Amino acid sequence: MSSTAVPAADRFEWFADVIANELVPTELRDPPASGGFRAEAGALALDVLQLSTFECTPCQSRRTPAQVRQNDPERYQFSLLTGSPMWLEQNRNGTEVNPGDMVLLNTVHPNAAGALGEDRAIRNIVIQLPRSELPLPSDKTDRLVAQRISGETGMGAILAGFMRTLETHASECGPVERTRLGRVAVDLISAVLAERCDTYEDLPSESRTRILMERIDSFIDHNLGDPGLTPQLVADRHHISLRRLHQMFRDQEDGVAATIRRRRLERCHADLSRPELLSRPIGAIATRWGFGNPAVFSRAFREAYGMSPSECRGQR
């Protein structure tokens, strides 16, 4: 949905209607004096969750007590900021958040928010989930509303990366895959919030297992360039036995070692296709992604792609 199809004079009201339909009824305030307001929005169902994206000219919003009484969908809204820094207030909490930060809101409480500055568009990725889907004590969770949650380290970084991936690729997935993505989103949000209110052990064992799998998945991605990345190292870093690690990968497309090799080959293939890396030796690209033996790399690459690394580069 884009405001480009709406007359300039009607865009602010149009966007208020979009927010009301896709999130909750909210008052928008302080449109630009020049009348140059612009906005875009998108929404996608992930089973019982909804993924939404919003981008607009800087403004302010306020959800009033009257609007809460008239319409409370009983949801949490978990947002990742990717545009302008913002301030938010809810339930006697207040914070300022920057791009890469995340924040939780509860539709049962009034709230207020706005951009900090006028030189950058507001841009958020929002996951809405029913409050009943979050397996945490509501009294503890509500203490976390309108508080800055970093998306730079630990589980926060894994969740922020997952939300960006959803924005880019979730629409390419079918209904069954979207249901699974929604389940993973609930688990990751639950893990991030549970760590902040010290209730991680209260999470269901199934959720903790899926969260651990996401941690392992992220660890592998971030360490592909380490030639010492082995299943044993992965198990040791996550304080589990090698046997349990292999069991966790039993339902995956590949085993642990095959997953590491496939992802390394994918990174090499991508680099060999980049024009700006044409002058970089093929051996250096292989080494960058953890292949220490050129012959092993060349053989694995040919098995995976039906051509040699040099032939792949020639096709760019």
Side-chain angles (χ1 to χ4, degrees):
M1 297 171 281
S2 174
S3 65
T4 55
V6 180
D10 299 332
R11 289 175 181 173
F12 205 63
E13 182 177 352
W14 169 84
F15 191 57
D17 288 340
V18 170
I19 294 295
N21 290 329
E22 301 302 333
L23 294 179
V24 287
T26 303
E27 292 181 1
L28 294 187
R29 300 178 170 185
D30 298 333
S34 64
F37 183 79
R38 290 178 173 81
E40 293 184 353
L44 182 71
L46 302 175
D47 196 27
V48 297
L49 279 63
Q50 178 170 298
L51 174 71
S52 303
T53 58
F54 299 94
E55 181 174 346
C56 68
T57 303
C59 60
Q60 297 188 19
S61 67
R62 179 171 177 262
R63 177 159 162 80
T64 67
Q67 289 171 325
V68 171
R69 289 192 297 270
Q70 293 168 4
N71 185 315
D72 176 18
E74 299 186 356
R75 293 177 181 172
Y76 285 114
Q77 297 170 345
F78 197 91
S79 300
L80 169 66
L81 274 69
T82 58
S84 171
M86 296 184 67
W87 59 268
L88 298 101
E89 297 176 353
Q90 186 175 64
N91 201 26
R92 297 184 295 279
N93 289 340
T95 191
E96 293 183 0
V97 286
N98 294 307
D101 290 338
M102 299 175 289
V103 68
L104 176 73
L105 294 176
N106 188 340
T107 59
V108 74
H109 303 298
N111 67 67
L116 291 169
E118 300 179 356
D119 59 341
R120 189 172 181 182
I122 293 173
R123 193 169 192 277
N124 293 342
I125 305 171
V126 183
I127 293 178
Q128 294 188 86
L129 63 159
R131 293 201 293 266
S132 58
E133 286 291 311
L134 205 59
L136 297 170
S138 59
D139 59 332
K140 293 185 177 181
T141 304
D142 276 358
R143 298 173 195 166
L144 303 178
V145 298
Q147 293 189 20
R148 174 183 173 274
I149 301 173
S150 173
E152 299 298 325
T153 60
M155 284 303 305
I158 294 173
L159 174 54
F162 182 74
M163 292 177 71
R164 292 188 182 96
T165 300
L166 287 179
E167 179 190 28
T168 305
H169 297 294
S171 62
E172 304 165 6
C173 300
V176 174
E177 293 171 313
R178 291 181 193 174
T179 296
R180 176 183 171 274
L181 291 173
R183 191 73 265 156
V184 173
V186 171
D187 289 336
L188 293 180
I189 292 172
S190 300
V192 168
L193 298 178
E195 286 185 347
R196 292 180 67 87
C197 58
D198 197 26
T199 56
Y200 188 83
E201 295 304 318
D202 294 338
L203 295 176
S205 60
E206 297 86 352
S207 294
R208 294 200 300 272
T209 298
R210 287 192 293 263
I211 292 164
L212 176 59
M213 191 67 199
E214 290 297 325
R215 283 177 164 161
I216 291 170
D217 189 69
S218 179
F219 177 82
I220 290 173
D221 266 353
H222 282 87
N223 291 277
L224 289 173
D226 179 3
L229 180 64
T230 63
Q232 187 64 63
L233 178 66
V234 174
D236 291 345
R237 289 294 180 87
H238 293 86
H239 310 292
I240 60 176
S241 68
L242 185 60
R243 179 183 178 187
R244 186 185 177 195
L245 178 67
H246 286 304
Q247 288 175 337
M248 292 177 67
F249 273 77
R250 190 170 291 167
D251 295 330
Q252 303 298 310
E253 179 181 354
D254 296 311
V256 191
T259 295
I260 294 171
R261 186 177 73 163
R262 172 174 53 80
R263 293 186 187 178
R264 283 173 168 164
L265 289 170
E266 289 170 350
R267 301 303 194 280
C268 291
H269 185 275
D271 280 1
L272 290 169
S273 302
R274 292 168 59 184
E276 67 271 24
L277 297 182
L278 183 60
S279 62
R280 182 171 296 179
I282 291 175
I285 289 175
T287 300
R288 177 192 178 191
W289 294 113
F291 287 101
N293 186 311
V296 170
F297 165 65
S298 183
R299 183 168 58 252
F301 194 94
R302 183 179 290 277
E303 290 175 356
Y305 297 105
M307 66 183 81
S308 70
S310 58
E311 289 170 337
C312 175
R313 171 168 273 178
Q315 290 185 349
R316 65 175 183 84

